[in-house]
Amino acid sequence: MTMPLMRPKRKNPVLRTPQMNLPPGARGRVALGMTAAAAEGRFELQACAECGAVQYPPREACHRCLSADLRWQRQSGAGELLSVTTLSHSNDNFFRERLPWRLGLVKLDNGPTLVTHVHGEVAGSGARVVVGARLDRAGQAVLIAFPPEGSEHMADDKVLREMTSDPKLRKVLVTDGKSPTGQALARALIGAGADIVWLGHAEPWKKMPGFAEVAALPQVTPVALDLTNERSVSELAGEIGGKVDIVINNAEVHRTAGIAARRGTDVARAEMDVNYFGLLRLAQAFAPALKGRSADGVLNATAWVNILSIYALANFPPHGTFSASKAAALSLAQCLRAEMRPAGVRVINVFPGPVDDEWNQNLPPPKLAPSALAAAVVRALKDGVEDVYPGDVAQEWLARWRENPKVLERELAAGGL
Amino acid sequence: MRRRLGYEGVAVTAPVTVPYVRYSTHGAHWFIGQALRSLVKTAGIAKDDIDGLTVSSFSLVPDTAVGVTQHMGLSPRWLDHIPTGGASGVMSLRRAARAVQAGDADIVACVAADTNHVDSFRATLGSFSDFARDATYPYGSGGPNSIFAFVTANFMRRYGATREDFGRIAVAQRANALKNPNALFKKPLSMEEYIAARPISEPIHLFDCVMPCAGAEAFLVMREERARDLGLPYVLVRGAIERHNAFADDPVMERGGWLMDRDDLYAQAGATPADVDFLQPYDDYPVIVMLQLEDLGFCGKGEGPAFVRTQRLTHDGDLPVNTSGGQLSAGQAGAAGGFLGMTEAIRQLTGQAGARSVPAARLGLVSGFGMVTFDRCLCTGAVLLGSPS
């Protein structure tokens, strides 16, 4: 049983806020294949396409038949804990600050032996376990042995919490509370146990449906925030920057036009001003504060979420300028991720397909319900993944894009979805 | 398999030790230089008489053995770089012996040396191997401690070994070390102190771990006639084996490659374990000493715990084990730890072991074990050394 996480005592303001020491983050190029899969929530190992052998650690040839044709293959992770040790000493500061730390030697049912972190609910050696891959605070895949069935509060395990960004008891900024997605995010975060949700709203005199109800929830505090206004962003950062644990940037401008359908660049500029420059302003104001608090106890600053679009991968011509602004935002988000990594703050990019809102009114179903998008964001925070493609449309686009980006481009140009 | 050529006529001589220090501001080259100087002086030869060289070192990087030749002004006609840690002693001797037999070299200097700066050990761990970087160091960064904790815990569970059993090995080796002037540990170790030591990586406690230090060990390999002409006390190679990545399918290490080749080893010497007067096993952790007792045939698989309960392991005991104190009590000077058993065995068999002598020793066994790249040690080897009859 994992003890449920309790609200920690108020911190001593005299003491220096602990700084982050990342766990060892160096990996070889081959081993990064495991990180790539874990970034999307999958546990994959190398399997030989010729003889079928599954192997670990990752390597450049099949250890059984020497084939170089090695594919990343999803694993069930079922296995047995052969041996377990509790470290009372470590050569690395990250672990030194978190001792004692339990490690296991696990034999997977399909062959390889692994060294893993061990969830607190796993009993001693001989226990059945299910190994999963998670990103650690350095952003690299690590393996963790879970019990086959966890208890209610298993997410609160000390080891697992180092690899996730659970919103429970945390303070979250959602940048746009006026959209259906923003309101769904607020409700989902409260459902996941968030302590405070700061809900941004630009132009407060404009009343949008649903906002008043969400703003009235006890955990919600509406805050004035206009991402097109640097001053507005930095004023809010001055006010709450030192307290925010999770930033979710869902503010966006979405208009439905390509190049020829409009004259001038005003609309495209407005999209870029929020979708791209808005992210840049937000990151310049809030990222330093998050980085400074990334090791601040059990309720540390932990994650930054960008609601992008599946159109960031390939331009959808009917929404051409919007696609371009999201592609720009994706590129900037990768930069942000690299800059947040030294502090161990996770940057999660969410790539939804068309959301069921006013700007996608003319698109055929299936469309992603705002509540489903919000649920996917909360799940990503809890699972500690880095890239999320929620909904059937996004999943299909992703598969087609991975298969052949050029073919997808041609299909989209021909009016396909 | 074709029967191998014997090691007849190969002499091993001039065991030298560059005194161990916990930390040194010198580089690995300094220790190699002092070891070579000591070899030349001990053997009474000219530096240029060394026409073969093996070098074993971790802290030598980015140099290898070839860089050492220029650094030291040597011009050997045979060279080998053997960076295999705990197995480097056995492996160097085997290679040097063949070079001498074949006439590729007349006098081979086998040198193992490492320096140790304050942060060397930590810096070595994460970059020790690709597998360590990818698959063990990010897990607690305990270095080999956590891997051998798995091996030890598994061994205890499978075969009923207790911490006291491992303690018997550590305590006996400390008693030996007190008679070795070069050992870094100078205080006796009691079983109570061993048991009460702080945990490092359960069930590994402080006195199960070696202390990294700086130092060097070296010896010379030449034809028997040459050693006799030089008037050097020497030992002969009675048999030698080596194996890598043995029993790779064992999910957790319970046995080593010695088990695969030990019949060959004893057959080369026409001997049995009962004929062995002392054993110098590689001792990065006591459990590995126990594995060698089993896998080299001093007792059966799983009988190691019972063996150490009844046998005295001190230099004057029933089966003297690591008469120098071993790495556990002398210190682990990097790759020189893989040579420690070899120089000690030569000293024992040539009457140079002083207060820690094994009475009337004629045949000694030196075994090596090296390189934890992921979840186990990969290299194993063993050499039987005998006094010339």
Side-chain angles (χ1 to χ4, degrees):
Chain A
M1 280 285 287
T2 308
M3 293 304 289
L5 180 69
M6 295 307 205
R7 192 183 299 276
K9 271 199 266 183
R10 233 174 162 41
K11 73 180 210 187
N12 184 344
V14 176
L15 297 179
R16 183 193 183 194
T17 301
Q19 296 299 291
M20 190 64 191
N21 280 305
L22 288 183
R27 298 290 190 281
R29 189 155 201 277
V30 179
L32 286 175
M34 205 170 87
T35 291
E40 295 177 15
R42 297 187 308 275
F43 170 31
E44 293 182 352
L45 292 182
Q46 283 180 319
C48 176
E50 287 184 37
C51 78
V54 175
Q55 64 184 11
Y56 184 83
R59 51 194 89 172
E60 303 272 14
C62 171
H63 75 284
R64 196 197 284 168
C65 75
L66 300 179
S67 166
D69 193 356
L70 301 166
R71 319 256 169 105
W72 289 95
Q73 184 189 75
R74 198 160 188 159
Q75 302 293 312
S76 78
E80 184 191 333
L81 186 64
L82 295 176
S83 201
V84 66
T85 184
T86 302
L87 284 182
S88 303
H89 171 272
S90 173
N91 298 289
D92 180 86
N93 273 334
F94 175 86
F95 294 106
R96 237 177 124 241
E97 291 164 357
R98 290 160 179 82
L99 295 172
W101 191 271
R102 219 154 62 113
L103 301 172
L105 192 69
V106 174
K107 181 174 188 318
L108 291 185
D109 294 345
N110 60 352
T113 295
L114 324 166
V115 174
T116 71
H117 299 299
V118 182
H119 189 279
E121 290 181 19
V122 172
S125 39
R128 292 291 303 170
V129 294
V130 176
V131 175
R134 292 287 185 278
L135 299 179
D136 68 8
R137 294 300 295 278
Q140 298 289 23
V142 289
L143 302 173
I144 174 165
F146 292 98
E149 280 182 31
S151 75
E152 186 188 351
H153 299 293
M154 75 176 295
D156 293 347
D157 178 66
K158 174 191 123 175
V159 170
L160 187 53
R161 276 184 63 86
E162 292 295 346
M163 300 162 196
T164 60
S165 304
D166 199 312
K168 186 172 174 182
L169 295 179
R170 283 196 162 105
K171 300 172 170 57
V172 189
L173 169 64
V174 176
T175 57
D176 179 15
K178 287 186 169 173
S179 68
T181 295
Q183 291 167 20
L185 277 167
R187 290 183 197 279
L189 290 162
I190 291 165
D195 189 36
I196 294 177
V197 178
W198 286 290
L199 203 52
H201 58 147
E203 302 168 327
W205 55 91
K206 286 187 187 164
K207 302 295 174 212
M208 298 299 280
F211 182 78
E213 289 84 341
V214 174
L217 294 171
Q219 295 89 344
V220 173
T221 303
V223 288
L225 176 61
D226 178 357
L227 291 192
T228 65
N229 182 336
E230 197 173 319
R231 188 161 168 181
S232 163
V233 175
S234 56
E235 274 178 8
L236 184 64
E239 204 177 314
I240 66 168
K243 303 177 211 163
V244 178
D245 303 317
I246 299 172
V247 170
I248 301 180
N249 183 23
N250 68 313
E252 68 178 26
V253 171
H254 184 179
R255 295 295 180 271
T256 55
I259 296 168
R262 278 181 199 277
R263 306 298 301 170
T265 57
D266 289 358
V267 170
R269 272 177 194 277
E271 284 173 334
M272 287 297 276
D273 204 19
V274 171
N275 301 355
Y276 171 74
F277 287 106
L279 170 58
L280 183 55
R281 290 182 194 103
L282 193 70
Q284 286 180 342
F286 279 85
L290 261 70
K291 286 159 80 173
R293 281 194 51 252
S294 66
D296 191 13
V298 292
L299 297 176
N300 55 335
T302 181
W304 181 294
V305 182
N306 297 306
I307 309 292
L308 303 171
S309 162
I310 195 69
Y311 305 159
L313 298 184
N315 192 286
F316 179 50
H319 296 199
T321 55
F322 173 73
S323 300
S325 72
K326 288 294 187 176
L330 167 59
S331 188
L332 190 68
Q334 289 169 334
C335 178
L336 178 63
R337 183 177 281 160
E339 292 190 9
M340 295 296 250
R341 176 139 306 147
V345 176
R346 182 148 307 159
V347 173
I348 301 173
N349 288 335
V350 185
F351 302 81
V355 175
D356 198 359
D357 64 15
E358 54 191 331
W359 298 104
N360 290 317
Q361 192 200 343
N362 303 118
L363 293 183
K367 288 184 270 194
L368 190 62
S371 60
L373 175 53
V377 170
V378 168
R379 207 176 314 117
L381 288 165
K382 286 183 172 178
D383 291 346
V385 300
E386 220 173 57
D387 293 310
V388 192
Y389 304 85
D392 293 338
V393 174
Q395 286 292 319
E396 196 201 66
W397 273 53
L398 176 65
R400 288 156 69 192
W401 180 71
R402 289 219 163 122
E403 206 169 288
N404 193 329
K406 195 71 192 171
V407 169
L408 178 62
E409 182 197 307
R410 282 287 193 278
E411 287 172 334
L412 295 172
L417 252 185
Chain B
M1 199 163 43
R2 200 163 63 87
R3 197 177 145 67
R4 78 174 83 207
L5 184 71
Y7 289 92
E8 286 81 16
V10 176
V12 190
T13 183
V16 303
T17 298
V18 178
Y20 291 8
V21 287
R22 175 73 169 107
Y23 294 115
S24 171
T25 53
H26 295 301
H29 296 82
W30 187 90
F31 287 93
I32 294 171
Q34 294 314 298
L36 285 166
R37 181 186 164 89
S38 188
L39 283 175
V40 166
K41 216 168 137 192
T42 302
I45 57 175
K47 191 180 83 168
D48 293 343
D49 291 336
I50 296 173
D51 61 352
L53 175 68
T54 78
V55 177
S56 301
S57 177
F58 296 112
S59 50
L60 187 61
V61 287
D63 262 8
T64 64
V66 69
V68 170
T69 64
Q70 190 173 36
H71 201 110
M72 306 298 165
L74 294 169
S75 182
R77 58 190 177 117
W78 182 92
L79 182 71
D80 209 345
H81 183 72
I82 307 176
T84 52
S88 59
V90 173
M91 290 174 64
S92 298
L93 174 54
R94 276 167 47 91
R95 281 148 187 70
R98 293 312 191 193
V100 163
Q101 282 184 316
D104 287 344
D106 287 330
I107 297 182
V108 180
C110 297
V111 182
D114 264 304
T115 188
N116 187 45
H117 309 316
V118 171
D119 198 33
S120 301
F121 184 69
R122 191 191 64 82
T124 307
L125 291 177
S127 55
F128 192 76
S129 67
D130 276 11
F131 287 176
R133 177 199 59 208
D134 294 341
T136 57
Y137 195 62
Y139 297 83
S141 310
N145 288 334
S146 46
I147 300 302
F148 286 92
F150 292 142
V151 171
T152 305
N154 177 73
F155 192 88
M156 291 169 83
R157 194 160 69 105
R158 274 291 296 270
Y159 300 113
T162 63
R163 283 197 59 218
E164 281 80 2
D165 296 329
F166 299 121
R168 287 183 176 91
I169 293 167
V171 168
Q173 289 194 192
R174 180 61 62 87
N176 289 338
L178 298 180
K179 298 179 180 175
N180 174 7
N182 186 49
L184 286 184
F185 289 87
K186 307 288 187 194
K187 286 194 293 190
L189 175 68
S190 70
M191 182 61 89
E192 292 69 34
E193 288 165 325
Y194 170 87
I195 295 292
R198 66 185 167 93
I200 300 294
S201 182
E202 204 59 64
I204 299 275
H205 290 237
L206 186 64
F207 295 118
D208 295 305
C209 305
V210 296
M211 185 171 80
C213 63
E217 303 277 347
F219 54 86
L220 294 176
V221 180
M222 59 188 74
R223 276 174 294 108
E224 191 178 0
E225 308 86 77
R226 187 69 184 267
R228 218 181 285 134
D229 291 349
L230 288 167
L232 292 171
Y234 63 91
V235 299
L236 295 172
V237 182
R238 300 286 193 205
I241 54 169
E242 175 179 327
R243 178 70 62 174
H244 304 280
N245 195 28
F247 307 117
D249 291 333
D250 288 1
V252 50
M253 180 165 206
E254 290 178 0
R255 50 187 177 163
W258 311 284
L259 191 59
M260 296 180 87
D261 303 294
R262 72 180 187 202
D263 291 347
D264 180 6
L265 175 70
Y266 290 115
Q268 290 174 49
T272 70
D275 301 321
V276 172
D277 296 313
F278 61 81
L279 172 64
Q280 312 285 355
Y282 191 73
D283 61 330
D284 47 356
Y285 296 85
V287 69
I288 299 307
V289 173
M290 204 172 278
L291 287 192
Q292 286 162 95
L293 290 170
E294 296 177 352
D295 297 346
L296 288 164
F298 294 92
C299 59
K301 191 80 238 164
E303 293 171 8
F307 186 84
V308 300
R309 282 170 213 158
T310 55
Q311 301 284 305
R312 286 174 306 121
L313 307 177
T314 47
H315 73 96
D316 51 357
D318 308 302
L319 177 65
V321 167
N322 281 333
T323 50
S324 67
Q327 301 179 90
L328 286 169
S329 280
Q332 180 180 60
F339 270 51
L340 179 61
M342 198 68 74
T343 50
E344 176 66 9
I346 303 166
R347 289 188 178 116
Q348 287 288 354
L349 293 168
T350 53
Q352 304 177 64
R356 62 183 190 280
S357 290
V358 175
R362 308 274 312 153
L363 186 67
L365 177 45
V366 182
S367 58
F369 184 58
M371 307 308 285
V372 185
T373 56
F374 174 48
D375 63 337
R376 65 194 68 204
C377 253
L378 296 184
C379 317
T380 50
V383 173
L384 278 167
L385 294 177
S387 310
S389 41

